[in-house]
Amino acid sequence: MAVSMFSCLLISSLVLLLYGVLRVSYSIWWKPKWLEKRLRQQGIRGTPYKLVMGDMKEYIRLITEAWSKPMNLNHHIVSRVDPFTQNNMQQYGKVSLFWAGTTPRLIVMDPGMIKEVLSNKQGHFQKPYISPLILTLARGLTALEGEVMIPAFTTSCSMLIERWKELASLQETCEVDIWPELQNLTRDVISRAALGSSFEEGRQIFELQKEHITLTLEAMQTLYIPGFR
């Protein structure tokens, strides 16, 4: 009886172990390679899949290298802000593939396709998966979907337009420095979407958010393993 019980436990353990190995193998190898094959069949070129990490090491290497050099005093900033995307586009074209861990992602730089993605209202194009580690540090426009952020944009834009109307009504002509106006508009929209208050009301919180940027960037450069944190 004891031997039979031990045999059952051993067999069950081996079955569970085999199941776990198959699930892990499927997640980190078979599924990514199958997706890679299907995307290439559609004519999409890009970097080959690398086990578990994908292109994250190369992404971190390029951006660390770019940020270690002095910034040029010109408008050619793409090679500093996002050198990985620039390299990928130059090598594989305006629609290319890269790997965020085990997840394939498309880089779309074609103006026509960008317009289609941004103007699509059917929900076919969703924002990419965001690591829960990043979401604990920053929630805002990067995590919002659908009509959640529309009221924030509408309120902030309406208030800005009304303020400009008041300035114009005081005199026949009115000169406005657009850059700080758009900066404040951006801050106000982000504050309303992320904090539920205007930029002026949430100025202190908005200033504290700057401290989150460093932590968020660090989280973006690490591989998220469920339960590990």
Side-chain angles (χ1 to χ4, degrees), residues 21 24 27-29 37 39 53 77 86 93 109 120 132 143 146 148 152 160 163 185 187 197 199 204 206 208 212 229:
V21 170
V24 171
S27 299
I28 69 174
W29 183 252
K37 181 180 179 181
L39 288 167
M53 290 296 293
I77 63 172
Q86 184 185 44
M109 302 298 288
N120 184 273
V148 177
L160 178 62
R163 196 167 67 80
L185 174 64
R187 292 167 181 164
S197 62
F199 173 62
Q204 183 178 2
F206 191 83
L208 290 174
H212 285 173
R229 60 176 178 162

Side-chain angles (χ1 to χ4, degrees), residues 99-112:
W99 292 89
T102 59
T103 305
R105 291 186 179 177
L106 293 182
I107 298 174
V108 180
M109 302 298 288
D110 178 74

Side-chain angles (χ1 to χ4, degrees), residues 113-126 146:
M113 293 189 69
I114 292 174
K115 181 178 180 181
E116 181 180 348
V117 170
L118 294 178
S119 61
N120 184 273
K121 301 296 188 296
Q122 306 302 317
H124 300 314
F125 301 101
Q126 297 183 346

Side-chain angles (χ1 to χ4, degrees), residues 12 18 37 43 79 92 179 198 217:
S12 299
L18 178 61
K37 181 180 179 181
S79 59
Y92 300 110
W179 177 240
S198 68
L217 288 175

